[in-house]
Amino acid sequence: MPPNTTASTGQQPGKSGRRKGRKARLIVLVLVLALIGGVAYGSYWSISTVRASFPQTKGTLTLKGLSGPVEVKRDDYGIPQIYASSDADLFMAQGYVQAQDRFYEMDVRRHMASGRLSEMFGKSQVDNDEFLRTLGWDRVAKQEYDTKLSATTKKYLQAYAEGVNSYLEGKDGEDISLEYAALGFTNDYKPQAWTPVDSISWLKAMAWDLRGNMQDEIDRALLTSRLGPKQIADLYPRYPYSRNKAIVQEGQYSELAGAFQQGGTSDPSGTSGVNGANGTNGTNGTSGTSGTNGTSGTNGTAGASTGTAAGTAAGTNTASGTAGLDSQLGGLTSVLDDLPPAVGVNGDGIGSNSWVVGGQHTISGKPLLANDPHLSPSLPSVWYQMGLHCRSVSSTCQYDVSGYTFAGMPGVIIGHNQDIAWGMTNSGVDVTDLYLEKITGNGYLYDGKVKPFETREETIKVAGGEPKKIVVRETNNGPLLSDRDEELVKVGKKATVDTAAPDRGDGYGVALRWTALQPGTTMDAVFAMDKARNWTDFRKAAAQFEVPSQNLVYADNENHIGYTLPGRIPLRQKGDDGSVPAPGWDPKYRWTGYIPQDALPYEYDPERGYIVTANQAVIDPDKYPYTLTADWGYGARSQRITDLIQSKIKDGGKISTDDMRQMQLDNSSEVARLLVPTLLKIDPGNKDVREAQKLLEGWDYTQDADSAAAAYFNAVWRNVLKLAFGNKLPKELRPKGQCLWVEPVNTTGPADEAEKVRECGQRAPDRAQPDGGDRWFEVVRKLMDQQDSDWWSTPKVGTRPAAHDRDQLFKRAMIDARWELTAKLGKDIDTWSWGRLHRLFLKNQTLGTSGPGFIQYALNRGPWELGGGEATVNATGWNAAGGYGVVWVPSMRMVVNLGDLDKSKWINLTGASGHAYSAHYVDQTQKWADGELLPWAFSDQAVEKSTTDKLVLKP
């Protein structure tokens, strides 16, 4: 059966509905714009006005600065393949073409990255701009451009910017995109010229959303207001290394060589040639600070983490103040809730799948590589598909690469060239730390002395309003985030510290140490990977990919596969695993450098013949001396993928490209496998609940969109989590709008005694806890045999019974789920389906979420009813604390066939175009929802055969 169904425009399902919906939107939009345009400007806008920003895709255009003609060939889906005779021409044309399709998206991205959203959207974005200016992404990007990047990379960035600006030349906002016409109703914003730094800044925004365990660091501290050390440890169990395998299974760190060694393989890169790309001599000062207290990157390790750091977080009275950060860190959380996501759900829920199967296990005899990054759904998609081809690869034109790009950045981020393919998943390594800072006058305390702040003044321009000036203060750990929100001032007022801590006074500040706030070389890495010819080239290129740290999966047409972990990963001193806020005044909590590149784990041609990465642990800590993080994903997806591969290759079976696609669509629920046998043994004591319970009998745990069993199980799972854990968490972690009567302080949950207070949740629903991810799978798994655990208790509510053990709570959850779905889907269970609950809405990330209603209608699309779910391979994520709606998705899917690159397949979440009424706005979405992949032409002959539009750019 198909994995999902759709109603893509809010009309009726099916192709005709989409066409009618698009036409209806266009007519309504034109009527409204005509009315407003007529009143405001004395003129009326027509359909031709709305379509004025559509790109020219046929014929000839002049592009000043080109050294020769460039061809832009587009297929049925508007995906461009660019052919040029020099690198500079290639990237100049890339800038021009991306601007044709996506400039408004690019413009918003650069304003976000530089803290200038208020210039476009007015006073509503001032708070966001203050926070983003405090982080200073664009300042770091400029430092990278000025001091770190190679001359060749700068040349490419300049060529790209010239291409973008050639597109902008002579155009008004409404000539570029519909959104500018809408902005013109309220302010006089005009798009400005593109710069190379604008491209680099986007890497910082991407790194922010992929920053690792900062939210876990906050949450562990917040939990101390209602939970004790043992309870917090229960909620952060150790990673199950014996059940869910780590990525790297062969090789280990060699103390003698000071490097990671696979052993017994013929790795051509050895342990040389990649060292030092991110500097083994780490400086501890952030950009703009004077601290340089780094030591050799090979020193200072504290031994590997043996799992999560729940014990550290559990409220011991250390100087780090781990036991009392409640509403103070809740203030930081509220700021993070309001920030627009760059690629993810503000840092939460970020996952991905990428795996590679060697030729010994494939039908073609050559490797197959799959990738599907899990990011926030956005319209247009964060990805832009394209090919960059030199007509003849040489020293003056070095690229023949195709894949997924970011609009606003030159090069290809994920994809393949003529020799190799690569994919990425977020590594999750810990590259951020929060520090409590003792503020004294115009300085802060460090090592018994008061040091002056590094300060700078920032002016925020506001569309339709007066500019606002702020002062950014930095310590030797980083920017003082507590200056940006009044609630953050409480951080130091309530943090529990021991007698060795300095006097609290008016409270401690909170500073952020983050590897992305130091200039790096990731942009160099992008270009180097795009032209890598083999494993040695690839690892050298990957070593420059400092921020964000990613799991990189590799395959080549010589039948080799590999994995490498690059990144600037900090070394912490003994006793500090980075899991909770640390005392900034104590030198013992300073980073001592970075793990040398040669010491980072990798695999090359492992004996098992495949490598799986899906945000699980990188390596068993028994094999590795360095702490990478205390907060891995728990490996539910990765182990399911591994099981699927093993089931295909047992007894000599071979895997095809379509097998890889079907694996990407696997909807199996691992937590259902755990819970359903127990749920079926419980007598619900009610015929209506029993009717729903019967849906689980014979269910194969597959979460298809049309499955009534999946709908009921996921409702039961949501209610189990709410009753057992959610109602016992502090308000800072619970979803907004959920109000409970609880005991005033230091209790484990809702009270049914006389003394109680009403507390309402404070976190955005898509970021609240318990989110139902695979950490919660592991929490529940470990409690299943503890049937009388206090976690299984919940009070009576109305006619709903109290629970005092596991089975009583499960019975209550089944009752609550039955009546929740009755309210949402109706009493007749024959009409229930998972897709009716689990819907995807695609929203324009600016005006589509906060613009006038008619603009939202014009720009947004959906809903689609989807299969899949949380921590499944087909990761259409939902947050169990907040509801069933889709909050992150496989943002694209690809399968690369190294035996014949023209037999590779790909798909994007939306389409190539960012123009709301282009035929390519969401023309891939239905196929994406149905689990289909599109042909991916690469050779000259295949591209020519698929070409429907050809544009020639001439000097």
Side-chain angles (χ1 to χ4, degrees):
M1 63 185 69
N4 29 49
T5 59
T6 183
S8 66
T9 66
Q11 311 294 324
Q12 296 300 314
K15 189 171 182 179
S16 60
R18 293 199 305 277
R19 286 178 175 172
K20 291 177 181 178
R22 186 158 63 117
K23 183 177 180 181
R25 288 174 188 271
L26 185 54
I27 293 171
V28 170
L29 176 69
V30 170
L31 289 175
V32 176
L33 293 184
L35 176 61
I36 297 176
V39 171
Y41 306 107
S43 62
Y44 289 87
W45 295 359
S46 66
I47 291 177
S48 61
T49 303
V50 175
R51 290 175 171 165
S53 58
F54 288 8
Q56 178 179 339
T57 60
K58 296 181 179 180
T60 302
L61 285 173
T62 299
L63 200 60
K64 294 179 181 178
L66 289 176
S67 62
V70 175
E71 290 178 301
V72 181
K73 301 178 180 182
R74 294 179 185 257
D75 65 10
D76 282 339
Y77 291 87
I79 300 171
Q81 305 284 339
I82 300 176
Y83 289 82
S85 298
S86 73
D87 292 336
D89 284 358
L90 195 62
F91 295 119
M92 185 177 183
Q94 184 183 17
Y96 185 89
V97 171
Q98 287 189 343
Q100 280 186 306
D101 283 332
R102 299 281 194 95
F103 182 76
Y104 176 77
E105 174 195 7
M106 294 162 57
D107 202 13
V108 171
R109 282 179 174 180
R110 65 167 167 177
H111 279 79
M112 180 181 72
S114 59
R116 293 166 48 220
L117 289 168
S118 301
E119 295 179 16
M120 295 184 74
F121 305 110
K123 63 182 180 181
S124 66
Q125 296 299 314
V126 169
D127 288 346
N128 282 335
D129 282 348
E130 289 185 18
F131 191 81
L132 293 165
R133 293 286 183 96
T134 299
L135 290 172
W137 296 341
D138 62 329
R139 298 178 67 255
V140 183
K142 188 174 189 310
Q143 291 176 6
E144 286 186 5
Y145 185 79
D146 290 342
T147 67
K148 286 286 187 178
L149 298 180
S150 70
T152 300
T153 293
K154 291 181 183 180
K155 176 184 174 183
Y156 296 162
L157 288 165
Q158 290 162 359
Y160 180 90
E162 289 173 12
V164 175
N165 292 329
S166 293
Y167 169 75
L168 295 178
E169 187 176 354
K171 290 183 174 65
D172 294 326
E174 58 266 28
D175 299 326
I176 298 171
S177 186
L178 172 64
E179 290 90 338
Y180 290 115
L183 286 173
F185 297 152
T186 57
N187 65 61
D188 58 356
Y189 174 80
K190 302 294 182 185
Q192 302 299 307
W194 192 264
T195 72
V197 173
D198 292 333
S199 295
I200 304 168
S201 295
W202 178 240
L203 285 171
K204 303 302 174 185
M206 180 178 70
W208 175 253
D209 279 358
L210 304 176
R211 62 190 177 271
N213 77 333
M214 181 171 151
Q215 192 63 59
D216 287 310
E217 193 173 333
I218 293 170
D219 286 357
R220 270 191 281 258
L222 290 170
L223 286 169
T224 60
S225 67
R226 288 210 171 268
L227 302 180
K230 172 63 169 61
Q231 292 169 308
I232 295 174
D234 286 345
L235 301 187
Y236 288 89
R238 188 179 187 272
Y239 183 90
Y241 288 97
S242 61
R243 185 175 66 254
N244 297 344
K245 300 299 183 183
I247 298 171
V248 175
Q249 300 174 37
E250 299 179 13
Q252 61 185 10
Y253 179 79
S254 167
E255 294 283 356
L256 182 63
F260 191 87
Q261 294 182 338
Q262 187 163 348
T265 67
S266 56
D267 173 10
S269 68
T271 58
S272 63
V274 299
N275 188 38
N278 66 0
T280 57
N281 293 312
T283 65
N284 276 327
T286 61
S287 59
T289 71
S290 57
T292 55
N293 294 322
T295 61
S296 170
T298 59
N299 298 327
T301 68
S305 168
T306 58
T308 65
T312 309
T316 57
N317 287 335
T318 68
S320 64
T322 62
L325 303 178
D326 43 19
S327 63
Q328 326 149 38
L329 289 177
L332 176 55
T333 298
S334 69
V335 174
L336 301 181
D337 278 346
D338 290 337
L339 279 182
V343 296
V345 190
N346 286 322
D348 283 344
I350 301 294
S352 295
N353 303 321
S354 188
W355 68 94
V356 61
V357 179
Q360 66 266 45
H361 297 310
T362 69
I363 290 175
S364 70
K366 291 292 179 73
L368 294 170
L369 186 149
N371 197 188
D372 55 292
H374 308 154
L375 305 172
S376 284
S378 61
L379 184 58
S381 165
V382 69
W383 300 108
Y384 183 85
Q385 297 154 285
M386 71 187 321
L388 303 172
H389 307 279
C390 290
R391 294 188 177 96
S392 177
V393 175
S394 65
S395 60
T396 58
C397 198
Q398 304 174 74
Y399 295 89
D400 188 14
V401 61
S402 184
Y404 294 86
T405 73
F406 288 134
M409 274 180 53
V412 169
I413 305 300
I414 295 173
H416 70 83
N417 60 30
Q418 69 273 36
D419 297 305
I420 73 167
W422 65 97
M424 296 185 187
T425 64
N426 194 33
S427 70
V429 297
D430 187 0
V431 295
T432 60
D433 279 335
L434 293 173
Y435 286 89
L436 301 177
E437 303 285 4
K438 170 59 181 175
I439 298 173
T440 304
N442 292 321
Y444 59 96
L445 188 68
Y446 178 72
D447 198 17
K449 300 177 182 178
V450 176
K451 299 186 68 173
F453 290 112
E454 291 283 338
T455 62
R456 67 179 187 272
E457 187 177 88
E458 298 271 357
T459 300
I460 298 171
K461 297 178 181 179
V462 182
E466 295 297 319
K468 181 175 182 179
K469 291 186 178 182
I470 64 170
V471 174
V472 176
R473 300 189 293 177
E474 294 192 4
T475 73
N476 60 350
N477 289 310
L480 206 61
L481 300 186
S482 50
D483 282 350
R484 299 282 73 88
D485 191 283
E486 290 184 5
E487 288 185 277
L488 290 181
V489 176
K490 301 176 185 176
V491 170
K493 292 183 178 181
K494 296 186 179 181
T496 301
V497 294
D498 66 13
T499 55
D503 179 66
R504 187 185 307 273
D506 291 332
Y508 303 129
V510 179
L512 171 67
R513 184 92 194 265
W514 179 34
T515 55
L517 296 183
Q518 299 175 31
T521 58
T522 301
M523 200 68 241
D524 284 339
V526 171
F527 294 117
M529 285 194 296
D530 283 356
K531 64 180 180 180
R533 304 294 299 272
N534 51 46
W535 173 246
T536 301
D537 288 350
F538 184 75
R539 284 203 77 207
K540 287 180 179 179
Q544 300 178 79
F545 205 102
E546 296 178 332
V547 177
S549 177
Q550 298 287 286
N551 295 314
L552 298 181
V553 173
Y554 167 94
D556 65 36
N557 55 17
E558 295 295 323
N559 226 350
H560 300 294
I561 63 173
Y563 160 84
T564 190
L565 174 71
R568 183 189 291 150
I569 304 172
L571 290 165
R572 297 175 178 87
Q573 300 187 55
K574 187 175 182 180
D576 176 21
D577 65 2
S579 63
V580 292
W585 52 81
D586 190 342
K588 290 189 300 183
Y589 291 87
R590 295 280 286 169
W591 294 355
T592 61
Y594 301 98
I595 301 176
Q597 285 293 311
D598 284 346
L600 291 172
Y602 72 93
E603 275 194 336
Y604 182 72
D605 288 341
E607 186 175 345
R608 64 187 180 278
Y610 60 86
I611 301 169
V612 175
T613 75
N615 315 111
Q616 79 269 40
V618 168
I619 190 169
D620 190 318
D622 292 339
K623 297 181 178 180
Y624 198 64
Y626 298 106
T627 298
L628 297 172
T629 185
D631 295 295
W632 300 114
Y634 281 76
R637 279 181 290 109
S638 62
Q639 194 57 44
R640 176 61 178 169
I641 295 167
T642 297
D643 292 345
L644 291 171
I645 293 172
Q646 290 178 340
S647 70
K648 294 294 288 187
I649 65 176
K650 68 179 180 181
D651 301 324
K654 302 295 184 181
I655 293 175
S656 69
T657 300
D658 196 61
D659 290 332
M660 300 284 274
R661 179 191 67 85
Q662 292 186 48
M663 291 179 194
Q664 290 178 322
L665 303 178
D666 182 78
N667 286 334
S668 176
S669 170
E670 295 306 298
V671 73
R673 294 178 188 275
L674 173 68
L675 296 187
V676 166
T678 301
L679 294 174
L680 288 174
K681 295 176 182 178
I682 295 171
D683 180 4
N686 177 283
K687 66 180 182 61
D688 292 315
V689 180
R690 172 60 184 146
E691 182 185 35
Q693 183 188 39
K694 286 182 178 179
L695 292 171
L696 304 180
E697 295 177 357
W699 180 44
D700 63 358
Y701 314 124
T702 298
Q703 301 171 97
D704 291 331
D706 60 0
S707 171
Y712 182 60
F713 173 77
N714 282 321
V716 173
W717 171 238
R718 168 172 149 84
N719 280 279
V720 165
L721 292 172
K722 179 180 178 182
L723 295 169
F725 310 105
N727 291 350
K728 300 177 176 72
L729 301 180
K731 62 183 181 294
E732 293 86 358
L733 275 71
R734 298 202 314 269
K736 292 177 182 177
Q738 184 199 70
C739 298
L740 301 171
W741 289 97
V742 298
E743 293 182 10
V745 291
N746 297 324
T747 69
T748 59
D752 49 4
E753 292 81 17
E755 184 183 359
K756 51 192 175 184
V757 296
R758 183 173 170 82
E759 285 188 351
C760 296
Q762 297 179 352
R763 187 165 289 183
D766 63 0
R767 302 182 63 245
Q769 293 294 338
D771 62 17
D774 60 358
R775 173 164 69 91
W776 294 99
F777 292 11
E778 198 64 22
V779 169
V780 171
R781 186 189 301 275
K782 289 185 175 297
L783 290 171
M784 285 294 286
D785 293 333
Q786 303 175 41
Q787 296 187 34
D788 296 321
S789 168
D790 288 342
W791 288 112
W792 300 127
S793 65
T794 192
K796 177 181 178 181
V797 175
T799 61
R800 309 286 172 85
H804 305 289
D805 62 30
R806 183 198 68 189
D807 288 357
Q808 289 177 2
L809 187 136
F810 282 8
K811 176 180 177 179
R812 168 71 180 276
M814 287 196 292
I815 294 170
D816 289 359
R818 173 39 157 144
W819 301 118
E820 180 187 3
L821 293 198
T822 297
K824 290 180 179 295
L825 302 179
K827 188 174 182 180
D828 183 359
I829 65 172
D830 290 337
T831 68
W832 290 3
S833 70
W834 175 226
R836 288 180 62 197
L837 292 172
H838 191 53
R839 299 192 299 168
L840 169 66
F841 291 85
L842 291 176
K843 296 182 179 181
N844 179 287
Q845 292 301 292
T846 54
L847 298 179
T849 58
S850 59
F854 75 89
I855 290 292
Q856 293 190 38
Y857 180 81
L859 299 177
N860 297 339
R861 299 291 184 270
W864 285 263
E865 297 181 356
L866 300 183
E870 177 67 18
T872 63
V873 179
N874 184 20
T876 57
W878 57 288
N879 186 300
Y884 301 100
V886 177
V887 295
W888 57 85
V889 294
S891 56
M892 61 80 160
R893 297 186 183 103
M894 75 173 194
V895 178
V896 181
N897 185 331
L898 274 298
D900 184 346
L901 292 171
D902 287 330
K903 292 183 179 178
S904 301
K905 304 285 187 177
W906 62 352
I907 197 79
N908 205 351
L909 173 63
T910 64
S913 179
H915 300 289
Y917 293 98
S918 166
H920 305 305
Y921 192 45
V922 290
D923 59 339
Q924 296 186 54
T925 307
Q926 185 57 56
K927 290 184 178 294
W928 172 91
D930 290 339
E932 297 180 34
L933 298 177
L934 302 177
W936 185 353
F938 179 72
S939 68
D940 292 350
Q941 298 87 345
V943 169
E944 185 63 32
K945 184 177 179 180
S946 68
T947 296
T948 59
D949 291 0
K950 185 183 296 185
L951 176 69
V952 177
L953 303 176
K954 292 187 174 181

